[in-house]
Structures are given as C-alpha cells and as structure tokens.
Amino acid sequence: MPDYVKVMRDGEVAIITLDNPPVNAMSHHLREPLFAALKQARDDDAVKAVVIACAGRTFVSGADITEFNTPKALAEPSLRDLCALLDAFPKPTVAAIHGTAFGGGLELALSCHYRVAVKSAQIGLPEVKLGLLPGAGGTARLPRLTGPVEALKIVSSGNPVAADKAAKLGIVDEVTDGDLAEAAIAFARGKIGTPLAPVSGRSDRIADVDMAAFDAASAEVARKARGLDAPVKCAEAVRNAITMDFDAALKRERELFIELVQGTQSKAQRHLFFAQREAAKVEGVGKEIEARPVKRVGVIGAGTMGGGIAMSFVNGGIPVTLLEMNREALDRGLATIAKNYEISVSRGSMTTEAKDQRLAAFKPTTDYADLAECDLIIEAVYEEMGVKKEVFGKLETVAKPGAILATNTSYLDVNEIAASTARPRDVVGLHFFSPANVMKLLEIVRGNRTAPDVLATALALARKIGKVPVVVGVCHGFVGNRMLSSRSAENEDLLMEGADPAQIDKVFTDFGWPMGPFAMGDLAGLDIGWRNRKALGKTAPIADALCEQGRFGQKTGKGFYIYEEGSRAPKTDPEVSKLIEETARAKGVNRRAISDEEITERTLYPLINEGARILEEGIAARASDIDIVWTNGYGFPIGKGGPMFYADTVGVKTIVERLDHWHGKTGKEVYKPAALLRKIAEADGSFSASKKTG
Ligand code: T1G
C-alpha cells in the first residue's frame, strides 16, 4: 500500500506531505490518511504548528474528477470535512504551494491559516471549465481574501493566477525564491503563539462591497455564459459570500455544486477534459518515442494562414523564418502580424516590450535557402496540389536532413504530397484553423509513411504552442472539414425548401453555437466557398446567386444579411428572401414551413453520421477525438460535449431512426445511417462517453 501521506517533524512543526501521483488529486485514498494525520497533529501537544506540502510536481490539483457521480465522491472524510477540520484548527497551519494549487487544492489551502508559495506556482479554481463551481468552500473563502469582484473573476473564468499576483490579491502570504519547505516551516514557526484568524472568520473584504461593481461583473459573466449554467451559478455563490453568513453560504454552495455535477453540461465538459488528454495518446507513438528538437520553424506563406501560424510558433517561444514569394507580399504579411500584436497591446493583454520581442523573433526572407536552418518547415501556400508539390520539391533541395516538412492543407491528400518527395517519413500535415494564432485545434494529419518521431514532435510542439492536437488520417477534409461538408449542403437545401437564414442561424445559436452558418459565411466571406465549389464543379444555387451579385458578406456590406456602415450586426434583407424564392421557383421547389426540430435534425445528424463513417474508416481513433476536433475547431458548444457525446445524450437509436426518416424522404447519402451507427443503435449502446466522467 503506497504511503499517500507522510508526517515528519522539524522541532515543534509537523510537516504533512501528500503523495498521490500524478497530480496529487484529492482522491478518497488520500483524504482518509490526511484527515487522520491532521487530527493526530491537532491532538499532539508537542506539535505547535503544521505545514501541508505535496511531493511530486504539484500541490493538490483538485478533487479527483474520476470520482464524481461515484460512491467514492461521497466517501468520508470529504474534502469539505478536511476544510472544516482545518478551519477549526487550534494551531497555525501553512499550505506550502508549488505547481498548480487548483480547485479543491486551493480550497484546502484556503482552509489553512496561511499560504506560502514558490514563485513559479499558480493557484486557480478551474471548476467552471468542468461545468462546476468550487464545492469545498472556495466561493465563500476566496472573497474574504481578495474581495468579491476579484474573487468572481477567478471563480467564473477558471483561469490560473501566478504566485506573485496571488500575493498581491491577498491569497498567498509569502512567495519564496528559495526552498519551499524551509520557507513554509520558518513561516509556520513564526506564527506559533500568534492569534489565529481562519479565512472563514474574516469579514473586512466582504463588508461595504461596491455592489454596483459586483452586479456589473456578474452581468458580464452572465452575458459571456452563452447557455452554460456553471458561470452563472459561480456568480450566485460568490454573491452569497456577501449576503449570507459563512455557514449558510457554504450550504448553498454545496446545493449548487450538486445541481451542476449531476447535470449533462458538467458531464459533457468533464468528458472533454479527459478526451483532450486521450487524444494526445497515439497508437505507435509511446513515451519511448523521442521528439526531434525544434529550435527554429520555417513558414512558407505570410498570408492569413501563414501569418497566423507563424505567430502561433513565435507566441510559443519558437523563432520563425517567414518566407514569401516577393518583398511586397512579405511586408504585407509582416504588417498584418505587427497590427495583430498592436491590438493585443492596446487591449492590455500584451506589453510593448513583449510585442517588440515577438516581432524580433521573425526572420523575413524571400530566399528558400534561408530555410536550411529550420528544424520544421510548414507551408501555407495556395490550396492546390500542383502548387504544394512545387513547394515540397524546392524544400527537398534546401531542408536539412531530419527537418520535418509539414503542409497546412485543409483537404488535400498528404500521402500524395509525401510521395512526391524522397523523404516521405519526414512529411506530416499540420492543419491549423483560422485565425491560426487564436483557434486551439491542430489536426495532425498522419501520412501512411509519417515517422513516429515526427508525430511525437508534432504532439510536443502542439503542447508548447498551446494548441489542442488531434491526430487524424488522410481523406478529403480529414475529420473536421469532411464532417462540415456533410452539413453545408443541408443548410442550403433547407433555405430552398422553406426556411430563411435568420431562422436557421437562430436554431444554431439557441443550440449554443457562437454563430449560425449564414452569419458565419458572411463573416468568413462567401466568395471563399464559391471559389472552392467552382474548383470542385459543385454548386449551391442560393449562395452562388448571392456571389454572382457580388454579395460576399461583411466585406461587401451584404451577403445573406445586410450590414449597415461600420456595423457587423446582421440584418435580414428582403432582397435575399426574394432571391431565395426566385431560386426555389426556378428549381421547381414548393417552399413550406420548416420546424426548428427539422433544422436541428438535418444539420446535426448528418454530422454525427459522417463522424461514424470516419470512425469506421479509422480516420479518427476515437469518438472522443471527434468531439475534441469540433469543440476546439468549430465552436461546438462545450456544454453539449461534441457531436459524438451529444449523440449519446440524444440516444444513438433515436438518431438512426431520424436519419432513416430523412433518408426515406430525401434519398440523400448524408442521411443513410453508417453501419457503425446502426450497430451501436441495435446494441442500444453509445459511442464512448468517457468512463471517467461518471
Ligand atoms: N482528477 C483526476 N485526474 C486528473 C486530475 C484531477 N483533478 N487532473 C489531472 N488528472 C489526470 C489527467 O487526466 C492525466 O491522466 C494526468 O492526471 C496528468 O494530467 C471540490 C470539485 C493539474 C494543470 O480541474 O488542470 O477540485 O492522461 O496531462 O498537463 O471544488 O491536469 O495521465 O491518465 O493534465 O501536467 C479541479 C485539472 C477539479 C485541474 C496538470 N481541478 N487538471 O497538467 O498533466 S474539480 C482541475 C489540470 C474540484 C472542488 C472541485 C492539469 C494540471 P492520464 P495532465 P499536466
């Protein structure tokens, strides 16, 4: 039985060290011995102060998420019992924080009298990212240290706070550059015999609160919640710290936590938490596969994608050699990059010094020979196979041995590109999503010859530059775009058959998408899709008609909607309704009223169906990988867990029944249930709702 809790003495100070790898999650098998050790230290007269520390890479990083909705979560002592024991502790207690004191870990530390942290430590309450709120007193204790408005920011954002800032906010009492154990023990010793002031008993920071400021902050949280319950309940719980006494606030916090942890949104978000980590576990790329060192990256193309990709690497601390065909295109690309950083500086999210450092990390060139020093070269040139092959042909002559050659293609056959080189093992797809310096998703496209260490390098790079990687196979559009195309055609047909852009967009935003497909099209530019369709010999009568009139969307002031001068707010345009009716008439389509339910079924279920086909073909390794693609690359609402998790919540059987219905009515391939879907339905099964979410 491993020792999860060890107790040592340094004179009259007891040091309780927790050791529950990998992140000291507050599992039941840790809570029990910790509770016993605390009671023993409390009752031992030789002990005058207590330090709680952790072994390994971090202080307690939270409750054990895998225990939720299982009996273990309720097994005593609970985390709340531990916090209550500390709250009433008759001797000074000090939490010694390194790594990430997150969630229940911070709540444990807040129940101590004091907190000492190393400079590199972070604190935070990320429960909201799991569709929860702090459930062990964090919403009642934190406001007593930072004041309610700052506490609300931390609780509702779930973002980490560095140790120095935490000290300024009053959360951490001392930040040390030296040895944490020594500092914590000395701090504890210094508090022996001094008056004890548990956080729960403090009230100065919650008296005379500027309620107008708090209400404004709460309103902002509600505005950004976009259908998620947790952020709103976080605000309610922090408000209770102001309006209720401590015990009443704690009781209400527990009730709110129970509501959330049993809800679908939290199950969906916890599914995504584990799914993201599962996605990084790739067959044939075990921990023994060493990534190649990448000290400099070459990016070919300084347009929208190339510039965004170059920024992603520079933002992740990797210098970039940026190549364009000519000086004018290069300068244009660099100017866009500089403007993007200027915007960050003006928003206060970046200092001028940081901006200058980042701009200095770009080495512009128009000479391929300058790519010779790069360890990875990624092309973001025009999406046409001939152009891609020409670029890879040049790379063959300049790239050093061992350099990784990557393509940012969104659709094209990575195997064909690799086969056009003499080094197919070095070739991989790195499909970024626009804007590449913002969107989290990175589809790593595994060619049939891609070397395992190239994949290991891509996975490590993704982590370093803050991207969420999913390894996908080669097919037209890989995972995300292939599934998207199964839905796009239906959007157009629903317009033709009787719906209008505003109705369809509202069904999407009511579901939780940030925007509907038509507002999105206007934002991205309808001409892009128009050009792609023409290249593929495809048509979309209504969208094509709009483009023929020069209605490309926001960039031309009108598309599916009309946009007043200087405004990005879409307004319905009677001209568009007329165009839709005329197009339908010309096609002999009798328009009819279409229900919101029909729109949901005909735009979501083909997506799920295509996802099932992708799984059958092995293009995605897991259903949860597809959920990570869609929630990180396409705005699928995280409270719904991604298309495949959502399919489980609707019931795969129901989805197959409805697909059969629409297939019968329309004869369209997108509605013909995939064999895998039918198999799951017949077994009354589900995709792969992660067992860990309970
Ligand atoms: N519970 C269970 N497993 C966890 C875990 C947790 N809290 N955190 C991480 N793991 C697993 C993870 O799945 C992975 O497993 C391994 O540990 C390494 O994680 C009452 C209710 C701490 C910053 O939300 O943010 O407290 O894949 O790859 O990149 O109010 O893990 O190896 O099998 O992420 O170094 C609140 C979640 C919980 C923090 C480390 N706490 N964790 O990052 O490693 S709810 C959190 C993280 C709560 C209380 C409430 C990160 C990390 P495997 P990793 P990392």
mmCIF file with all atom_site columns, all heavy atoms in Angstrom, residues 18 20 22-25 53-62 96-102 122:
data_model
loop_
_atom_site.group_PDB
_atom_site.id
_atom_site.type_symbol
_atom_site.label_atom_id
_atom_site.label_alt_id
_atom_site.label_comp_id
_atom_site.label_asym_id
_atom_site.label_entity_id
_atom_site.label_seq_id
_atom_site.pdbx_PDB_ins_code
_atom_site.Cartn_x
_atom_site.Cartn_y
_atom_site.Cartn_z
_atom_site.occupancy
_atom_site.B_iso_or_equiv
_atom_site.pdbx_formal_charge
_atom_site.auth_seq_id
_atom_site.auth_comp_id
_atom_site.auth_asym_id
_atom_site.auth_atom_id
_atom_site.pdbx_PDB_model_num
ATOM 1   N N   . LEU A 1 18  ? 1.804  15.070 1.200   1.00 0.00 ? 18  LEU A N   1
ATOM 2   C CA  . LEU A 1 18  ? 0.878  14.220 0.428   1.00 0.00 ? 18  LEU A CA  1
ATOM 3   C C   . LEU A 1 18  ? 1.610  13.710 -0.800  1.00 0.00 ? 18  LEU A C   1
ATOM 4   O O   . LEU A 1 18  ? 2.427  14.421 -1.384  1.00 0.00 ? 18  LEU A O   1
ATOM 5   C CB  . LEU A 1 18  ? -0.347 15.047 0.008   1.00 0.00 ? 18  LEU A CB  1
ATOM 6   C CG  . LEU A 1 18  ? -0.979 15.935 1.099   1.00 0.00 ? 18  LEU A CG  1
ATOM 7   C CD1 . LEU A 1 18  ? -2.212 16.645 0.545   1.00 0.00 ? 18  LEU A CD1 1
ATOM 8   C CD2 . LEU A 1 18  ? -1.330 15.107 2.307   1.00 0.00 ? 18  LEU A CD2 1
ATOM 9   N N   . ASN A 1 20  ? 0.295  11.593 -4.060  1.00 0.00 ? 20  ASN A N   1
ATOM 10  C CA  . ASN A 1 20  ? -0.712 10.853 -4.833  1.00 0.00 ? 20  ASN A CA  1
ATOM 11  C C   . ASN A 1 20  ? -0.527 11.174 -6.304  1.00 0.00 ? 20  ASN A C   1
ATOM 12  O O   . ASN A 1 20  ? -1.302 11.951 -6.880  1.00 0.00 ? 20  ASN A O   1
ATOM 13  C CB  . ASN A 1 20  ? -2.119 11.232 -4.342  1.00 0.00 ? 20  ASN A CB  1
ATOM 14  C CG  . ASN A 1 20  ? -3.204 10.418 -5.029  1.00 0.00 ? 20  ASN A CG  1
ATOM 15  O OD1 . ASN A 1 20  ? -2.969 9.280  -5.453  1.00 0.00 ? 20  ASN A OD1 1
ATOM 16  N ND2 . ASN A 1 20  ? -4.375 11.015 -5.193  1.00 0.00 ? 20  ASN A ND2 1
ATOM 17  N N   . PRO A 1 22  ? -0.542 11.310 -10.408 1.00 0.00 ? 22  PRO A N   1
ATOM 18  C CA  . PRO A 1 22  ? 0.475  12.225 -10.927 1.00 0.00 ? 22  PRO A CA  1
ATOM 19  C C   . PRO A 1 22  ? 0.292  13.681 -10.488 1.00 0.00 ? 22  PRO A C   1
ATOM 20  O O   . PRO A 1 22  ? 1.217  14.455 -10.572 1.00 0.00 ? 22  PRO A O   1
ATOM 21  C CB  . PRO A 1 22  ? 0.279  12.120 -12.441 1.00 0.00 ? 22  PRO A CB  1
ATOM 22  C CG  . PRO A 1 22  ? -1.173 11.813 -12.601 1.00 0.00 ? 22  PRO A CG  1
ATOM 23  C CD  . PRO A 1 22  ? -1.565 10.995 -11.402 1.00 0.00 ? 22  PRO A CD  1
ATOM 24  N N   . VAL A 1 23  ? -0.903 14.044 -9.985  1.00 0.00 ? 23  VAL A N   1
ATOM 25  C CA  . VAL A 1 23  ? -1.112 15.474 -9.700  1.00 0.00 ? 23  VAL A CA  1
ATOM 26  C C   . VAL A 1 23  ? -1.679 15.709 -8.302  1.00 0.00 ? 23  VAL A C   1
ATOM 27  O O   . VAL A 1 23  ? -2.266 16.748 -8.028  1.00 0.00 ? 23  VAL A O   1
ATOM 28  C CB  . VAL A 1 23  ? -2.010 16.123 -10.773 1.00 0.00 ? 23  VAL A CB  1
ATOM 29  C CG1 . VAL A 1 23  ? -1.315 16.120 -12.144 1.00 0.00 ? 23  VAL A CG1 1
ATOM 30  C CG2 . VAL A 1 23  ? -3.347 15.420 -10.864 1.00 0.00 ? 23  VAL A CG2 1
ATOM 31  N N   . ASN A 1 24  ? -1.510 14.703 -7.415  1.00 0.00 ? 24  ASN A N   1
ATOM 32  C CA  . ASN A 1 24  ? -1.997 14.849 -6.031  1.00 0.00 ? 24  ASN A CA  1
ATOM 33  C C   . ASN A 1 24  ? -3.468 15.222 -5.976  1.00 0.00 ? 24  ASN A C   1
ATOM 34  O O   . ASN A 1 24  ? -3.890 16.056 -5.178  1.00 0.00 ? 24  ASN A O   1
ATOM 35  C CB  . ASN A 1 24  ? -1.146 15.879 -5.269  1.00 0.00 ? 24  ASN A CB  1
ATOM 36  C CG  . ASN A 1 24  ? 0.212  15.306 -4.889  1.00 0.00 ? 24  ASN A CG  1
ATOM 37  O OD1 . ASN A 1 24  ? 0.294  14.202 -4.326  1.00 0.00 ? 24  ASN A OD1 1
ATOM 38  N ND2 . ASN A 1 24  ? 1.280  15.990 -5.263  1.00 0.00 ? 24  ASN A ND2 1
ATOM 39  N N   . ALA A 1 25  ? -4.254 14.588 -6.874  1.00 0.00 ? 25  ALA A N   1
ATOM 40  C CA  . ALA A 1 25  ? -5.712 14.791 -6.818  1.00 0.00 ? 25  ALA A CA  1
ATOM 41  C C   . ALA A 1 25  ? -6.207 14.281 -5.469  1.00 0.00 ? 25  ALA A C   1
ATOM 42  O O   . ALA A 1 25  ? -5.676 13.330 -4.909  1.00 0.00 ? 25  ALA A O   1
ATOM 43  C CB  . ALA A 1 25  ? -6.381 14.039 -7.955  1.00 0.00 ? 25  ALA A CB  1
ATOM 44  N N   . ALA A 1 53  ? 2.278  19.952 2.740   1.00 0.00 ? 53  ALA A N   1
ATOM 45  C CA  . ALA A 1 53  ? 3.045  20.069 1.487   1.00 0.00 ? 53  ALA A CA  1
ATOM 46  C C   . ALA A 1 53  ? 2.731  18.870 0.603   1.00 0.00 ? 53  ALA A C   1
ATOM 47  O O   . ALA A 1 53  ? 2.022  17.948 1.016   1.00 0.00 ? 53  ALA A O   1
ATOM 48  C CB  . ALA A 1 53  ? 4.535  20.117 1.808   1.00 0.00 ? 53  ALA A CB  1
ATOM 49  N N   . CYS A 1 54  ? 3.228  18.891 -0.614  1.00 0.00 ? 54  CYS A N   1
ATOM 50  C CA  . CYS A 1 54  ? 2.998  17.783 -1.556  1.00 0.00 ? 54  CYS A CA  1
ATOM 51  C C   . CYS A 1 54  ? 4.310  17.359 -2.187  1.00 0.00 ? 54  CYS A C   1
ATOM 52  O O   . CYS A 1 54  ? 5.172  18.211 -2.466  1.00 0.00 ? 54  CYS A O   1
ATOM 53  C CB  . CYS A 1 54  ? 2.036  18.207 -2.649  1.00 0.00 ? 54  CYS A CB  1
ATOM 54  S SG  . CYS A 1 54  ? 0.323  18.279 -2.095  1.00 0.00 ? 54  CYS A SG  1
ATOM 55  N N   . ALA A 1 55  ? 4.405  16.071 -2.425  1.00 0.00 ? 55  ALA A N   1
ATOM 56  C CA  . ALA A 1 55  ? 5.546  15.537 -3.191  1.00 0.00 ? 55  ALA A CA  1
ATOM 57  C C   . ALA A 1 55  ? 5.195  15.636 -4.681  1.00 0.00 ? 55  ALA A C   1
ATOM 58  O O   . ALA A 1 55  ? 4.072  15.980 -5.042  1.00 0.00 ? 55  ALA A O   1
ATOM 59  C CB  . ALA A 1 55  ? 5.772  14.084 -2.807  1.00 0.00 ? 55  ALA A CB  1
ATOM 60  N N   . GLY A 1 56  ? 6.180  15.377 -5.526  1.00 0.00 ? 56  GLY A N   1
ATOM 61  C CA  . GLY A 1 56  ? 5.900  15.344 -6.961  1.00 0.00 ? 56  GLY A CA  1
ATOM 62  C C   . GLY A 1 56  ? 5.845  16.737 -7.558  1.00 0.00 ? 56  GLY A C   1
ATOM 63  O O   . GLY A 1 56  ? 6.377  17.693 -7.010  1.00 0.00 ? 56  GLY A O   1
ATOM 64  N N   . ARG A 1 57  ? 5.137  16.837 -8.698  1.00 0.00 ? 57  ARG A N   1
ATOM 65  C CA  . ARG A 1 57  ? 5.252  18.051 -9.483  1.00 0.00 ? 57  ARG A CA  1
ATOM 66  C C   . ARG A 1 57  ? 4.308  19.170 -9.083  1.00 0.00 ? 57  ARG A C   1
ATOM 67  O O   . ARG A 1 57  ? 4.409  20.288 -9.570  1.00 0.00 ? 57  ARG A O   1
ATOM 68  C CB  . ARG A 1 57  ? 5.039  17.744 -10.967 1.00 0.00 ? 57  ARG A CB  1
ATOM 69  C CG  . ARG A 1 57  ? 3.713  17.059 -11.271 1.00 0.00 ? 57  ARG A CG  1
ATOM 70  C CD  . ARG A 1 57  ? 3.508  16.967 -12.759 1.00 0.00 ? 57  ARG A CD  1
ATOM 71  N NE  . ARG A 1 57  ? 2.795  15.773 -13.151 1.00 0.00 ? 57  ARG A NE  1
ATOM 72  C CZ  . ARG A 1 57  ? 2.108  15.695 -14.292 1.00 0.00 ? 57  ARG A CZ  1
ATOM 73  N NH1 . ARG A 1 57  ? 2.096  16.716 -15.102 1.00 0.00 ? 57  ARG A NH1 1
ATOM 74  N NH2 . ARG A 1 57  ? 1.484  14.601 -14.631 1.00 0.00 ? 57  ARG A NH2 1
ATOM 75  N N   . THR A 1 58  ? 3.380  18.847 -8.155  1.00 0.00 ? 58  THR A N   1
ATOM 76  C CA  . THR A 1 58  ? 2.429  19.934 -7.862  1.00 0.00 ? 58  THR A CA  1
ATOM 77  C C   . THR A 1 58  ? 1.738  19.730 -6.518  1.00 0.00 ? 58  THR A C   1
ATOM 78  O O   . THR A 1 58  ? 1.559  18.592 -6.063  1.00 0.00 ? 58  THR A O   1
ATOM 79  C CB  . THR A 1 58  ? 1.339  20.042 -8.950  1.00 0.00 ? 58  THR A CB  1
ATOM 80  O OG1 . THR A 1 58  ? 0.409  21.071 -8.590  1.00 0.00 ? 58  THR A OG1 1
ATOM 81  C CG2 . THR A 1 58  ? 0.574  18.734 -9.120  1.00 0.00 ? 58  THR A CG2 1
ATOM 82  N N   . PHE A 1 59  ? 1.305  20.823 -5.949  1.00 0.00 ? 59  PHE A N   1
ATOM 83  C CA  . PHE A 1 59  ? 0.405  20.783 -4.798  1.00 0.00 ? 59  PHE A CA  1
ATOM 84  C C   . PHE A 1 59  ? -0.904 20.158 -5.295  1.00 0.00 ? 59  PHE A C   1
ATOM 85  O O   . PHE A 1 59  ? -1.075 19.899 -6.510  1.00 0.00 ? 59  PHE A O   1
ATOM 86  C CB  . PHE A 1 59  ? 0.186  22.216 -4.292  1.00 0.00 ? 59  PHE A CB  1
ATOM 87  C CG  . PHE A 1 59  ? -0.550 22.291 -2.963  1.00 0.00 ? 59  PHE A CG  1
ATOM 88  C CD1 . PHE A 1 59  ? 0.113  22.005 -1.780  1.00 0.00 ? 59  PHE A CD1 1
ATOM 89  C CD2 . PHE A 1 59  ? -1.891 22.637 -2.904  1.00 0.00 ? 59  PHE A CD2 1
ATOM 90  C CE1 . PHE A 1 59  ? -0.566 22.076 -0.555  1.00 0.00 ? 59  PHE A CE1 1
ATOM 91  C CE2 . PHE A 1 59  ? -2.562 22.702 -1.703  1.00 0.00 ? 59  PHE A CE2 1
ATOM 92  C CZ  . PHE A 1 59  ? -1.902 22.408 -0.517  1.00 0.00 ? 59  PHE A CZ  1
ATOM 93  N N   . VAL A 1 60  ? -1.818 19.901 -4.414  1.00 0.00 ? 60  VAL A N   1
ATOM 94  C CA  . VAL A 1 60  ? -3.096 19.261 -4.767  1.00 0.00 ? 60  VAL A CA  1
ATOM 95  C C   . VAL A 1 60  ? -3.753 20.022 -5.933  1.00 0.00 ? 60  VAL A C   1
ATOM 96  O O   . VAL A 1 60  ? -3.956 21.234 -5.848  1.00 0.00 ? 60  VAL A O   1
ATOM 97  C CB  . VAL A 1 60  ? -4.056 19.253 -3.564  1.00 0.00 ? 60  VAL A CB  1
ATOM 98  C CG1 . VAL A 1 60  ? -5.410 18.654 -3.962  1.00 0.00 ? 60  VAL A CG1 1
ATOM 99  C CG2 . VAL A 1 60  ? -3.433 18.463 -2.410  1.00 0.00 ? 60  VAL A CG2 1
ATOM 100 N N   . SER A 1 61  ? -4.022 19.293 -7.016  1.00 0.00 ? 61  SER A N   1
ATOM 101 C CA  . SER A 1 61  ? -4.521 19.981 -8.229  1.00 0.00 ? 61  SER A CA  1
ATOM 102 C C   . SER A 1 61  ? -6.034 19.900 -8.311  1.00 0.00 ? 61  SER A C   1
ATOM 103 O O   . SER A 1 61  ? -6.623 20.227 -9.331  1.00 0.00 ? 61  SER A O   1
ATOM 104 C CB  . SER A 1 61  ? -3.917 19.341 -9.464  1.00 0.00 ? 61  SER A CB  1
ATOM 105 O OG  . SER A 1 61  ? -4.339 18.004 -9.500  1.00 0.00 ? 61  SER A OG  1
ATOM 106 N N   . GLY A 1 62  ? -6.656 19.418 -7.216  1.00 0.00 ? 62  GLY A N   1
ATOM 107 C CA  . GLY A 1 62  ? -8.115 19.440 -7.237  1.00 0.00 ? 62  GLY A CA  1
ATOM 108 C C   . GLY A 1 62  ? -8.689 18.149 -6.686  1.00 0.00 ? 62  GLY A C   1
ATOM 109 O O   . GLY A 1 62  ? -7.957 17.213 -6.372  1.00 0.00 ? 62  GLY A O   1
ATOM 110 N N   . ALA A 1 96  ? 2.026  24.732 1.783   1.00 0.00 ? 96  ALA A N   1
ATOM 111 C CA  . ALA A 1 96  ? 3.260  25.000 1.026   1.00 0.00 ? 96  ALA A CA  1
ATOM 112 C C   . ALA A 1 96  ? 2.988  24.666 -0.436  1.00 0.00 ? 96  ALA A C   1
ATOM 113 O O   . ALA A 1 96  ? 2.845  23.501 -0.797  1.00 0.00 ? 96  ALA A O   1
ATOM 114 C CB  . ALA A 1 96  ? 4.394  24.142 1.561   1.00 0.00 ? 96  ALA A CB  1
ATOM 115 N N   . ILE A 1 97  ? 2.858  25.697 -1.272  1.00 0.00 ? 97  ILE A N   1
ATOM 116 C CA  . ILE A 1 97  ? 2.328  25.513 -2.633  1.00 0.00 ? 97  ILE A CA  1
ATOM 117 C C   . ILE A 1 97  ? 3.411  25.582 -3.690  1.00 0.00 ? 97  ILE A C   1
ATOM 118 O O   . ILE A 1 97  ? 4.164  26.545 -3.779  1.00 0.00 ? 97  ILE A O   1
ATOM 119 C CB  . ILE A 1 97  ? 1.259  26.591 -2.922  1.00 0.00 ? 97  ILE A CB  1
ATOM 120 C CG1 . ILE A 1 97  ? 0.063  26.427 -1.954  1.00 0.00 ? 97  ILE A CG1 1
ATOM 121 C CG2 . ILE A 1 97  ? 0.784  26.511 -4.367  1.00 0.00 ? 97  ILE A CG2 1
ATOM 122 C CD1 . ILE A 1 97  ? -0.965 27.549 -2.070  1.00 0.00 ? 97  ILE A CD1 1
ATOM 123 N N   . HIS A 1 98  ? 3.447  24.503 -4.526  1.00 0.00 ? 98  HIS A N   1
ATOM 124 C CA  . HIS A 1 98  ? 4.250  24.542 -5.765  1.00 0.00 ? 98  HIS A CA  1
ATOM 125 C C   . HIS A 1 98  ? 3.383  23.971 -6.868  1.00 0.00 ? 98  HIS A C   1
ATOM 126 O O   . HIS A 1 98  ? 2.327  23.392 -6.602  1.00 0.00 ? 98  HIS A O   1
ATOM 127 C CB  . HIS A 1 98  ? 5.561  23.750 -5.608  1.00 0.00 ? 98  HIS A CB  1
ATOM 128 C CG  . HIS A 1 98  ? 5.384  22.254 -5.577  1.00 0.00 ? 98  HIS A CG  1
ATOM 129 N ND1 . HIS A 1 98  ? 4.724  21.592 -4.546  1.00 0.00 ? 98  HIS A ND1 1
ATOM 130 C CD2 . HIS A 1 98  ? 5.760  21.300 -6.460  1.00 0.00 ? 98  HIS A CD2 1
ATOM 131 C CE1 . HIS A 1 98  ? 4.720  20.290 -4.784  1.00 0.00 ? 98  HIS A CE1 1
ATOM 132 N NE2 . HIS A 1 98  ? 5.333  20.082 -5.940  1.00 0.00 ? 98  HIS A NE2 1
ATOM 133 N N   . GLY A 1 99  ? 3.788  24.186 -8.114  1.00 0.00 ? 99  GLY A N   1
ATOM 134 C CA  . GLY A 1 99  ? 2.975  23.641 -9.218  1.00 0.00 ? 99  GLY A CA  1
ATOM 135 C C   . GLY A 1 99  ? 1.654  24.375 -9.284  1.00 0.00 ? 99  GLY A C   1
ATOM 136 O O   . GLY A 1 99  ? 1.602  25.598 -9.298  1.00 0.00 ? 99  GLY A O   1
ATOM 137 N N   . THR A 1 100 ? 0.577  23.597 -9.336  1.00 0.00 ? 100 THR A N   1
ATOM 138 C CA  . THR A 1 100 ? -0.745 24.210 -9.561  1.00 0.00 ? 100 THR A CA  1
ATOM 139 C C   . THR A 1 100 ? -1.686 23.824 -8.431  1.00 0.00 ? 100 THR A C   1
ATOM 140 O O   . THR A 1 100 ? -2.208 22.714 -8.394  1.00 0.00 ? 100 THR A O   1
ATOM 141 C CB  . THR A 1 100 ? -1.319 23.681 -10.883 1.00 0.00 ? 100 THR A CB  1
ATOM 142 O OG1 . THR A 1 100 ? -1.217 22.253 -10.869 1.00 0.00 ? 100 THR A OG1 1
ATOM 143 C CG2 . THR A 1 100 ? -0.583 24.230 -12.095 1.00 0.00 ? 100 THR A CG2 1
ATOM 144 N N   . ALA A 1 101 ? -1.946 24.769 -7.545  1.00 0.00 ? 101 ALA A N   1
ATOM 145 C CA  . ALA A 1 101 ? -2.937 24.534 -6.473  1.00 0.00 ? 101 ALA A CA  1
ATOM 146 C C   . ALA A 1 101 ? -4.284 24.917 -7.057  1.00 0.00 ? 101 ALA A C   1
ATOM 147 O O   . ALA A 1 101 ? -4.674 26.088 -7.047  1.00 0.00 ? 101 ALA A O   1
ATOM 148 C CB  . ALA A 1 101 ? -2.614 25.383 -5.256  1.00 0.00 ? 101 ALA A CB  1
ATOM 149 N N   . PHE A 1 102 ? -4.936 23.957 -7.663  1.00 0.00 ? 102 PHE A N   1
ATOM 150 C CA  . PHE A 1 102 ? -6.176 24.220 -8.400  1.00 0.00 ? 102 PHE A CA  1
ATOM 151 C C   . PHE A 1 102 ? -7.381 23.606 -7.686  1.00 0.00 ? 102 PHE A C   1
ATOM 152 O O   . PHE A 1 102 ? -7.255 22.575 -7.014  1.00 0.00 ? 102 PHE A O   1
ATOM 153 C CB  . PHE A 1 102 ? -6.085 23.629 -9.805  1.00 0.00 ? 102 PHE A CB  1
ATOM 154 C CG  . PHE A 1 102 ? -5.279 24.436 -10.775 1.00 0.00 ? 102 PHE A CG  1
ATOM 155 C CD1 . PHE A 1 102 ? -5.042 23.950 -12.050 1.00 0.00 ? 102 PHE A CD1 1
ATOM 156 C CD2 . PHE A 1 102 ? -4.732 25.655 -10.430 1.00 0.00 ? 102 PHE A CD2 1
ATOM 157 C CE1 . PHE A 1 102 ? -4.286 24.680 -12.978 1.00 0.00 ? 102 PHE A CE1 1
ATOM 158 C CE2 . PHE A 1 102 ? -3.970 26.394 -11.339 1.00 0.00 ? 102 PHE A CE2 1
ATOM 159 C CZ  . PHE A 1 102 ? -3.763 25.901 -12.614 1.00 0.00 ? 102 PHE A CZ  1
ATOM 160 N N   . GLN A 1 122 ? 1.160  28.351 -9.372  1.00 0.00 ? 122 GLN A N   1
ATOM 161 C CA  . GLN A 1 122 ? -0.082 29.005 -9.817  1.00 0.00 ? 122 GLN A CA  1
ATOM 162 C C   . GLN A 1 122 ? -1.210 28.531 -8.903  1.00 0.00 ? 122 GLN A C   1
ATOM 163 O O   . GLN A 1 122 ? -1.203 27.382 -8.452  1.00 0.00 ? 122 GLN A O   1
ATOM 164 C CB  . GLN A 1 122 ? -0.425 28.594 -11.250 1.00 0.00 ? 122 GLN A CB  1
ATOM 165 C CG  . GLN A 1 122 ? 0.527  29.118 -12.315 1.00 0.00 ? 122 GLN A CG  1
ATOM 166 C CD  . GLN A 1 122 ? 0.078  28.668 -13.695 1.00 0.00 ? 122 GLN A CD  1
ATOM 167 O OE1 . GLN A 1 122 ? -0.260 27.515 -13.898 1.00 0.00 ? 122 GLN A OE1 1
ATOM 168 N NE2 . GLN A 1 122 ? 0.023  29.605 -14.640 1.00 0.00 ? 122 GLN A NE2 1
#
